[in-house]
Amino acid sequence: QWCIQIDITNSCIKRCSNCTRLLAHEKKPFFMDLETFEKAVISVKDFPVGKDCRGRTKVVGIMGGEPLIHPQFPDMVDIMCKHIPDCKGRGLWTCIDFRKGHKHKDKCVQLLGSLSANSNHKGRKYGYLNLNTHEPACYHQSLLIASKDVIPDEEERWKLINDCWVQIRWASGITPKGFFFCEVAAAFDMIFDGPGGLPLEPG
């Protein structure tokens, strides 16, 4: 995997159809507390060392929802910078263009090491910024279609499930309920009140 996402909130200023966090279906907003966030960062602080299988610099990302609306976002930036000192190992996923005078602009620069963080995976000098303002329209695959309804052959269905690009090539996820093998699975656990993930501890 290239990334581990820490979902600090499931509140967002957008309500996009087919959001990978299913936020249009969320009925229980959460804002991760600082203690849980620090546990999460400490548990994965060694992950950004090195490259993934495609040569990309690994990253631990702050994500949501919209992370910039978390009331303790500045404190979370300080915590992440303390435990992951190399800015190349830190990332931010946001739909707010903080470069246009947002109140957290300086904190975003602190997190990423630059105002124009380099989104080039391989040769990054700074943190990874995924600035998706959702303009123009962007598209995601629908996540609430049962696989057995579209792939009736059970053997083929499990082959596709086990080869899911999100868990293999993209990101694991952390929520207040623990660590998950896949960021989408983490979101599903929150939405559907699942059993939770692995404990937030080193290793």
Side-chain angles (χ1 to χ4, degrees):
Q1 285 187 341
W2 166 66
C3 180
I4 297 175
Q5 297 286 13
I6 303 176
D7 284 18
I8 64 173
T9 182
N10 60 356
S11 290
C12 190
I13 60 175
K14 307 270 188 183
R15 302 305 274 178
C16 301
S17 174
N18 294 328
C19 169
T20 59
R21 296 304 190 268
L22 306 176
L23 298 184
H25 302 277
E26 185 54 67
K27 294 184 173 72
K28 297 182 290 185
F30 75 81
F31 290 90
M32 185 180 280
D33 62 70
L34 289 179
E35 181 182 357
T36 302
F37 180 77
E38 187 156 29
K39 277 185 185 176
V41 174
I42 289 171
S43 75
V44 296
K45 68 185 179 80
D46 294 327
F47 176 79
V49 176
K51 310 279 185 185
D52 77 349
C53 63
R54 292 193 281 173
R56 299 175 297 182
T57 300
K58 293 182 179 182
V59 64
V60 174
I62 294 180
M63 191 172 186
E66 175 46 63
L68 296 187
I69 66 173
H70 194 296
Q72 295 175 297
F73 177 78
D75 299 314
M76 291 176 163
V77 169
D78 290 341
I79 289 169
M80 185 171 260
C81 292
K82 172 185 170 186
H83 294 293
I84 303 176
D86 185 349
C87 66
K88 291 190 298 294
R90 304 188 298 251
L92 175 65
W93 274 249
T94 179
C95 64
I96 296 174
D97 192 347
F98 60 85
R99 300 169 300 181
K100 297 179 178 176
H102 189 271
K103 66 180 180 178
H104 294 319
K105 177 180 174 181
D106 291 343
K107 281 295 173 181
C108 292
V109 171
Q110 177 186 344
L111 178 70
L112 301 170
S114 170
L115 184 59
S116 56
N118 185 346
S119 293
N120 178 344
H121 290 286
K122 293 186 180 181
R124 273 199 338 265
K125 297 178 182 176
Y126 307 109
Y128 181 82
L129 172 63
N130 186 318
L131 175 60
N132 184 354
T133 60
H134 300 80
E135 296 168 6
C138 62
Y139 301 92
H140 290 286
Q141 64 199 50
S142 179
L143 298 173
L144 291 177
I145 296 173
S147 59
K148 67 180 179 179
D149 290 346
V150 291
I151 312 289
D153 181 89
E154 186 174 7
E155 185 177 336
E156 177 67 11
R157 186 167 66 244
W158 279 104
K159 179 181 179 297
L160 292 169
I161 289 169
N162 289 325
D163 195 33
C164 175
W165 71 270
V166 178
Q167 67 180 352
I168 291 176
R169 293 183 286 280
W170 191 248
S172 299
I174 296 174
T175 73
K177 294 175 65 182
F179 180 89
F180 295 82
F181 66 97
C182 165
E183 65 176 76
V184 175
F188 272 49
D189 180 78
M190 293 299 293
I191 293 285
F192 297 116
D193 200 23
L198 296 173
L200 298 176
E201 55 190 28

